[in-house]
Amino acid sequence: MNLDDLPLAEFAFPGPLRDTLVAAILSGAKTSTSGLLVSYECANEPLPQVGQLSAVVDSEGRRVAVIELTDVRVIRLADVDLPHALAEGEGDESVAQWRAGHETFWHSAAVRAELGDPDFTVDDDTLVVTERFRLVRVV
């Protein structure tokens, strides 16, 4: 498996949050993630597929691990459950806590700029892409 041939798995934006998420992946604490369906649509990117291998990159752009997707679902934000929230490995103890943290990120200036919508907000019906993955290899 050539790491350079794998698509990149970029968690959050480069910086402290990405570094925290990557560390959680490397430790095995983080085995799921969530993204906005609209982000895929705006970037004209296909949805991830079960079985897909990706190279996790750190804030410096270095490939630090390989993950394999084991489950991909598109669900309403209101339907994210506790097992998914816990598997994100960010220390949340409830879905409400998970949602509050994700709403803060999704309502950030960086996400709004990426979407090209300075007033973007989420609600219960916002579609979220939830992914489960397993750590295949640490580089």
Side-chain angles (χ1 to χ4, degrees), residues 61-74:
R62 294 180 296 236
R63 291 163 170 82
V64 296
V66 175
I67 57 173
E68 177 184 12
L69 291 180
T70 59
D71 183 61
V72 178
R73 298 181 298 150
V74 177

Side-chain angles (χ1 to χ4, degrees), residues 4-138:
D4 292 334
D5 294 336
L6 295 177
L8 300 181
E10 299 176 280
F11 292 82
F13 297 104
L17 179 56
R18 178 177 289 177
D19 294 339
T20 298
L21 298 176
V22 169
I25 292 168
L26 297 177
S27 75
K30 182 173 183 63
T31 59
S32 73
T33 194
S34 306
L36 298 169
L37 178 62
V38 69
S39 293
Y40 289 92
E41 294 169 347
C42 284
N44 199 26
E45 291 183 12
L47 290 180
Q49 300 293 315
V50 171
Q52 178 179 325
L53 295 174
S54 300
V56 176
V57 295
D58 65 12
S59 289
E60 303 301 317
R62 294 180 296 236
R63 291 163 170 82
V64 296
V66 175
I67 57 173
E68 177 184 12
L69 291 180
T70 59
D71 183 61
V72 178
R73 298 181 298 150
V74 177
I75 61 174
R76 294 171 55 243
L77 180 56
D79 296 331
V80 172
D81 59 19
L82 184 59
H84 179 81
L86 295 175
E88 287 220 12
E90 297 177 41
D92 297 320
E93 297 176 355
S94 69
V95 173
Q97 189 178 18
W98 171 90
R99 182 167 169 166
H102 280 71
E103 284 187 12
T104 298
F105 177 74
W106 290 330
H107 294 160
S108 70
V111 170
R112 288 174 170 167
E114 185 177 73
L115 297 175
D117 182 353
D119 300 315
F120 176 79
T121 58
V122 299
D123 61 29
D124 282 350
D125 292 322
T126 300
L127 294 178
V128 177
V129 180
T130 63
E131 303 173 42
R132 297 289 301 228
F133 55 84
R134 69 179 189 91
L135 181 61
V136 174
R137 183 172 124 203
V138 175

